[in-house]
Amino acid sequence: MDFDKSIIDDFVIESKEHLESVEGDLLNLEKQAESADPELINRVFRAVHTVKGTAGFVGLVNLANLAHVLETILSMIRAGEMKPESSIVDELLHGVDLIRAMLDDVYASNDMDIANIMIKLTAIVDNGAAVCEGLAVTCDDVLEDEKPEPENSAVPLADILEKEHGFTVDKNLLRSAQESSEYFYILDYDFSEFSEKHGLTPLALIKHLDGHGNVVEINADVPVQDLHVNDIGGPFPCKILYATKVAPDSIEHVVMLQGDCVTSLKNDSFVSANEVVNTDADNNEQTYGTAHGEPDMPQEVVADSAVDEASQKDEPAKAVVSEEGDNKNRNERAETIRINVGVVDKLMTLAGELVLVRNQYVRSVDRSNPTGRAISQRLDVITSELQDSIMATRMQPIGNIFGKFPRVVRELGKNLDKKIEIDIIGSEVELDKTILEALADPLTHLIRNCCDHGVELPADRLKTGKAEVGQITLRAYHEGGQINIEIKDDGKGIDVKAVLAKALEKKLKTEDELSLMSEKEVLSLIFQPGFSTAAQVTDVSGRGVGMDVVKTSIDSLGGVLDVESVPGEGTIIFLRLPLTLAIIPCLIIQSGEYRFAIPQINVEELVCLYDNDVREKIECAGDREVYRLRNRLLSMIRLNEVFNRPETFTDVTRAEITEKYRSATSLVQPAEVTTGNETHDDSTNATCSLNFAVLKFGINRLGLIVDKVLGTEEIVVKPVHPAVKNLGLYSGATVMGDGKVALILDVQGIARHTGVDIDRRSTDEQLQANQDQEVDTQNVLLFSNGEKEQFAISLPLIKRIERISPSKIENVGDSEFITVDGVSTRVIRIDSCLSVSKCDDKEEMFLLLPKHINKPVGILMSDLTDIETVPIELNVDSYKEEGVLGTAIVRGKMTLFLDICRLVEKSERPFGSHDSSVSINRYIGRTGRILLVEDTPFFRSLIKGYLESAGHDVVVAENGQKAIDIFRDSEFDLVVADLEMPVMDGFDLMKEIRTAESDDVPAIALTASDSDQSRTRAMECGFNEFEVKVDREHLLTTITGLLPKGNGVAA
Amino acid sequence: MSEAVKTELDSAQEKIQVSTFWLSGRLFGVDIMDVKEINTEVDFTPIYHSSKEVKGYVNIRGQIHLVLDLRLLMGFESKEVDIDSRVVIFKQSIAEPFGALVDKVEDILEVPLAQVEEYQGQDDAGYVVGEQTRNSGLVKSICKLEDGLLIILNARNILRSIETGQSANQK
């Protein structure tokens, strides 16, 4: 994709456009042979002339020569020296065909053998002259003598041009130029410099010049081979012979050149030539005037016979040429043919219909009949192939739009004084024409942004240790039936702070909202409309002049736009686009009795919940339903409700829906759930499973609850009927295999309708994410004891940490004591309880005083590391020892999480004397089914562990409400409940339980606040026992005491 | 009925052909030049949230048509589709593919222009149509037949009345 190739590409495209009309014009010319419309001839002439001019300019000698001969013939026709008879027009057409063939393979054109056609065409030129002479002879003998004169008189200028400036100019052409122009100039262009300065392509320049005069001839001093070379820095000298009426004093302005590059030819030789030519022209006029004035048979005959003779003479040559030409043509035509887009669209529609018929047939075919099945399979395969092939006709390489970016980048680089290179990968990736066309502008915009705001000035780059030349990488590739485009620059990246400031300034978000947003979400703010509309973008490095426009256009293509940026290192913008818009893979779902299609590009995954999960996993967060999907909260939307409520959802609507399903599912057994008047819900609940699709729109997700998932299908998209277009819920419709219509859902529209739109969503997600953090992580104290291991203790279990000096430790038998706060505290050495490395003895050590342990004990630590937030999930399999909860990798180090209670217990007996199972076995024999209600995940898992290790069957609930729900469904031998909980606290829970039938179940209140007040209140509410967190031993004993004698219900 | 009409028509100079159908016991018609076909396909795919006059989409030979409930448009009560229900499909020159659901189709009538009166809106002929439709330009003209009135509708305004109705709803 070098610069020069693009010039040639432009040339080819424009030349083809020029030639397009030529054929028709020539044929018309032939029809009106007698009184040819001068405008028609001029049009053909101009077209060929432009091709010739540019061909010469870019060094395509062969093409230029051929066009030149054609031009000569045309100029003769224009001058009336020749009539556009069919034989001549034939040759002209042939010549035009050949030019076209050359254009198709432009780089080989110089090697193409055009000798034959040249001979023929030259023969026509000569014959034309002969005819002309013949005419002259028959009309006026005097002309015979005068005839050579004009040629001679044109010679001085032609000679001068040839000798001094290296121009070989056709005399006819020179003559016609001389007729219309007063001045001749030789213009010296260095095109590579010129195009940078003025931004004009050679073609544009020639057009410009042609507007003020006549480009007679062009000499390019660069052999065409050099144009293949990527090096674009080199000069591209070129001389243009220019005939114009523009006087020398203003010529510099017109041709955009310095004076020293313009050579004026207004000299004596020219004048004389001009004069002579003028007389010549007069004579000619006179001559033709006579000829035309008295048209008679002999002239016609002469002309005809001459031409006939000429064409007969050339017959063999013609055959050869046409054969060669045809072969070439066939080869090249096979590569590309031009088809009207309308035809392709029609084919697409028909292919779409065929797909539908195929689907219908395949469905209806009798599977037991082998012949029928075989036919249907073949139909299936062929239709698919046909569809693919037709799709392929619409496919165009993305290189078509990528191709112009090197230039854009180059020019922008120049303008901005930056050095930028662009690297293009994947030009061959093909995209649907419609998408491709719609993509051009957004991509250009993004590239411009990269240059303007991304890549720094060379000096800045050097300062930050980067290469002077900024690199933009444009990459396109296929992935999963989609096109991915990456635009990457190694510039300064997007300054998140600036984006934040801007967002605040523009009042797009409040400070609170912003503080909750992740970096990625902040970055995506640049796509918000109105984010950056002003011109002073550079001062904040805020990309995004019109980024929202880019986003909108990408969205409208069904694409996704994403941005990643590392300050100082660069920015990557990702585009994900469907291959085509006409046929798209869709997920087919059912809601009520009707089917709907959701474009696969929006579908991230499908989730199916069964039985209890249906009720438990869909939670309520405020007025809406949410589902926790791998630590991410999904707003859930029920499609049935969307359809039943035409008005945009408000908080009230959402609350209504949430309440409806919550009460419906929590109160009644799922099989019996009836949702009142709703017509669509039976299938959801009858099977007691619930399907939802996780749909993405932009960077957001939502869960769409549907009645049934039917599968995926490739569907032909039909646009929405204009009368219902503004509903916004549908992006189209399609005909399904059975002939029924299904609507295609617009995910964005649904999100908008239900109010799960971007703003709200991102904030919510953040809030939820914070809650998530609370729920799924814990804060731990990291410390070390020996030199090897790293330990962790959950912060809620630590009362405080005391700095001690080991010398103060006193020994009583095997035990060590130290006085803390006037109390003798037993010192527990981890290395004496666990098989870990020995404690480093230091001058100053730390004593950890645990909470919830009623004996005065402290755990000795040699070094405190830090406090860290870690996931609550621990690896319990790789390292097992009593006193260790589990392990996890913290800061790249394996860390032992200590169970203080067990450690204390363990330290009370001589190391290794008891088997751990003994302590557990004490409680076995009195086991039961226990409902544990605790909101803090850490305690929940800790206590659950204790209870389970004692042989109990434990079911957990996070709050009172949940506990009630669970409690109603099954029986328990015992309830252990925290008192302080969200949603429903322990007191209310107990009241609730006591008022229900199963009022006799024993219950233990478990709390951190050991106050008489709460103790009394707990007892009043109906708790049997009051336990302070977390005395394992005591708790287990209490439980054993409360459990009914013998085996429990569930044991 | 049509026989009588036809014999009577023979004497008139200029006639128009009207495709007629029944809606709530009254005879309606549209210019036959606007009609593409009459179809029996009445299994519609509803378009939720669209105005109530929109019956839904129907597929007719691979082309999706929007079908409107003409009864509702004319201000009558809607009724369940039955064996006589038909969809009058209009030509594409009228608008994007669409059709109108009617109770039952009747003959094609040739009526002399002399019998056709422009519908004025305030005219007492307005009794045949419901309140809403008075101003929508749906009724083009009224034709007096021997045994009753034939209301000729303007096919071009049928779809338009939905579009305008919709925007009105949204306000």
Side-chain angles (χ1 to χ4, degrees), chain A residues 77 309 395 400 604 926 933 1014 1043:
Chain A
I77 294 175
E309 206 182 310
M395 292 301 193
N400 286 3
E604 197 147 81
R926 287 272 189 90
V933 194
S1014 55
L1043 279 176

Side-chain angles (χ1 to χ4, degrees), chain A residues 268-330:
Chain A
D268 290 346
S269 65
F270 176 75
V271 173
S272 64
N274 201 18
E275 276 166 7
V276 176
V277 166
N278 279 344
T279 45
D280 174 44
D282 289 344
N283 284 340
N284 276 349
E285 249 166 52
Q286 207 183 323
T287 315
Y288 299 137
T290 332
H292 285 274
E294 294 172 22
D296 53 12
M297 288 307 285
Q299 294 166 27
E300 292 267 337
V301 171
V302 172
D304 278 352
S305 65
V307 173
D308 279 354
E309 206 182 310
S311 55
Q312 267 167 17
K313 199 166 52 192
D314 288 330
E315 204 69 41
K318 187 182 187 176
V320 174
V321 169
S322 64
E323 206 176 324
E324 275 180 13
D326 281 356
N327 278 341
K328 279 221 159 74
N329 283 353
R330 219 169 287 138

Side-chain angles (χ1 to χ4, degrees), chain A residues 473-725:
Chain A
T473 312
L474 187 57
R475 190 159 91 95
Y477 56 97
H478 279 278
E479 196 183 76
Q482 293 181 349
I483 295 283
N484 290 272
I485 300 172
E486 263 178 46
I487 301 145
K488 184 175 154 195
D489 66 60
D490 63 348
K492 56 179 171 262
I494 301 174
D495 184 353
V496 177
K497 281 192 197 110
V499 174
L500 284 172
K502 191 102 188 176
L504 270 180
E505 178 198 321
K506 296 256 172 194
K507 297 206 168 64
L508 291 171
K509 292 269 181 267
T510 66
E511 210 154 332
D512 293 347
E513 283 176 311
L514 289 174
S515 64
L516 292 171
M517 290 173 87
S518 72
E519 198 161 296
K520 198 174 167 93
E521 281 166 319
V522 171
L523 282 182
S524 69
L525 281 177
I526 63 170
F527 297 126
Q528 292 259 330
F531 176 73
S532 176
T533 49
Q536 77 294 359
V537 189
T538 31
D539 56 342
V540 278
S541 93
R543 262 175 209 222
V545 190
M547 279 300 248
D548 63 309
V549 180
V550 173
K551 175 144 177 64
T552 316
S553 40
I554 299 296
D555 280 350
S556 70
L557 293 174
V560 178
L561 190 62
D562 223 345
V563 60
E564 263 177 32
S565 179
V566 181
E569 282 176 33
T571 307
I572 311 179
I573 291 175
F574 296 100
L575 291 177
R576 212 162 50 231
L577 293 161
L579 283 178
T580 175
L581 297 176
I583 297 185
I584 54 169
C586 273
L587 177 74
I588 311 295
I589 54 105
Q590 190 168 332
S591 178
E593 51 178 317
Y594 298 103
R595 283 164 298 178
F596 296 89
I598 304 170
Q600 201 79 59
I601 191 167
N602 292 121
V603 180
E604 197 147 81
E605 63 181 300
L606 292 171
V607 180
C608 185
L609 300 179
Y610 292 101
D611 303 325
N612 280 350
D613 286 353
V614 174
R615 284 163 293 138
E616 289 164 10
K617 292 288 175 66
I618 305 229
E619 301 165 56
C620 311
D623 58 2
R624 61 187 66 195
E625 291 179 290
V626 294
Y627 177 80
R628 202 182 295 273
L629 180 74
R630 290 186 294 274
N631 290 339
R632 218 189 149 119
L633 266 137
L634 269 182
S635 283
M636 300 300 286
I637 292 171
R638 294 180 186 263
L639 192 55
N640 298 332
E641 296 295 335
V642 173
F643 288 148
N644 284 330
R645 295 163 199 266
E647 68 288 347
T648 307
F649 283 20
T650 59
D651 289 350
V652 180
T653 332
R654 276 189 293 271
E656 237 174 74
I657 297 170
T658 308
E659 186 51 36
K660 178 168 129 189
Y661 285 90
R662 204 181 63 151
S663 51
T665 49
S666 60
L667 291 174
V668 198
Q669 279 298 312
E672 297 157 26
V673 169
T674 45
T675 40
N677 322 335
E678 296 310 324
T679 46
H680 300 312
D681 296 320
D682 15 303
S683 56
T684 319
N685 295 307
T687 52
C688 195
S689 67
L690 181 140
N691 291 301
F692 67 87
V694 180
L695 305 180
K696 59 183 168 208
F697 56 104
I699 58 161
N700 299 299
R701 306 278 184 281
L702 64 86
L704 188 69
I705 301 177
V706 301
D707 290 353
K708 233 188 240 173
V709 174
L710 297 173
T712 57
E713 229 171 276
E714 300 241 309
I715 61 161
V716 181
V717 180
K718 312 255 177 175
V720 185
H721 196 283
V724 289
K725 204 162 196 162

